[in-house]
Amino acid sequence: MFGFKVVRQNHVGLVETLGRYKREVNAGLSFYIPIFQKVRIVDLAMIPLSLKGYSVITKDNAEVQTNVTLNYHVTDARKFEYENSNSVESMVQLVRGHLRDIIGKIDLNEALGSTSKINADLAAAIGDLTNTYGIKVDRVNIDELKPSASITESMEKQIRADREKTAAIAKANGEARSIEIETKARNDATVSTAKAEAAATIARADAKAYEIKKLNDMLASADNKYFTDQQIQAFAALAESSSNTVVMSKEDIGKFSEIPVTAQVMNQISKK
């Protein structure tokens, strides 16, 4: 008496006789002897697997929670079923071990910013598991690297402190720049005022020097007649005043008496 077993597409059947592996059957209809034989079905399709909440420690002793997803498929059904009691769990342990080793060699900041590199290193480390577990990992990806709550809090405090520090520096630089501009403006105004006063002083000095020069030039070009005329005008003014005393030397009296106008003035003074 025979039994039959339908093996679906992308699956393989392992026929066991009295518990011992006998042969492998492909997709389709297969016959076996009930009671004495059993057909174990193995899925060869790609299978997704999610590894969540796995804790690892970075080089700087920071605890990080990781979420990893991978895709694998069975390449050797016989090894997968008979050479390991749980090939999938063995694969998971291998993945976690390599991940712990890779992240343990880098600091927290580098780990958080290098997930693509960690993915590549992990895929290279896992390689082809066919020879060991009859499995090939087609894709592995770090979905999340999350620091512990205490580290996250510390990082947030550090970020706030950095922002406050940056704001304080910017404010101080702004105030310093404002003071610099204000001081420069005052200095420029002081310099401009000093230059204007200096220019005015020079102009007044130049004007006074010009006045003195013109007067000296005029006096240098004047002859005795000019001074005599000035003296006569002085005597005339004296004649009109209330003064009646004139003191001068005998020589001067003799000189001025030669001038008719002077003599007339002196007579008027004597009459008073």
Side-chain angles (χ1 to χ4, degrees), residues 162-271:
D162 291 341
R163 289 176 178 173
E164 292 174 357
K165 179 181 178 180
T166 301
I169 292 174
K171 181 180 179 181
N173 289 336
E175 292 177 351
R177 179 60 179 165
S178 177
I179 294 173
E180 180 183 353
I181 293 174
E182 183 179 352
T183 302
K184 185 177 184 302
R186 286 200 301 266
N187 292 340
D188 290 345
T190 301
V191 171
S192 297
T193 301
K195 288 181 177 179
E197 291 178 352
T201 301
I202 293 173
R204 289 194 295 270
D206 290 343
K208 189 66 177 178
Y210 178 76
E211 180 183 353
I212 294 172
K213 181 177 182 301
K214 294 297 290 184
L215 179 59
N216 289 335
D217 292 344
M218 183 182 68
L219 293 177
S221 62
D223 55 11
N224 291 333
K225 292 181 179 180
Y226 170 78
F227 293 105
T228 301
D229 180 66
Q230 292 296 315
Q231 291 170 348
I232 291 172
Q233 291 181 14
F235 274 108
L238 181 62
E240 298 296 329
S241 67
S242 60
S243 299
N244 54 10
T245 303
V246 178
V247 179
M248 64 178 62
S249 65
K250 181 171 65 176
E251 290 78 7
D252 290 337
I253 292 176
K255 180 177 62 175
F256 286 113
S257 62
E258 296 176 356
I259 303 173
V261 177
T262 306
Q264 181 181 357
V265 172
M266 295 182 67
N267 289 334
Q268 290 179 359
I269 293 174
S270 62
K271 288 180 181 181

Side-chain angles (χ1 to χ4, degrees), residues 24-67:
E24 182 179 303
V25 295
N26 296 321
L29 181 63
S30 298
F31 295 93
Y32 67 100
I33 303 174
I35 300 175
F36 295 99
Q37 291 183 325
K38 176 182 178 182
V39 179
R40 188 186 298 270
I41 304 299
V42 179
D43 189 352
L44 302 180
M46 185 179 294
I47 301 173
L49 181 64
S50 178
L51 309 178
K52 295 184 177 181
Y54 180 53
S55 179
V56 294
I57 304 298
T58 63
K59 183 179 179 180
D60 49 353
N61 295 321
E63 182 181 359
V64 180
Q65 296 291 324
T66 64
N67 291 333

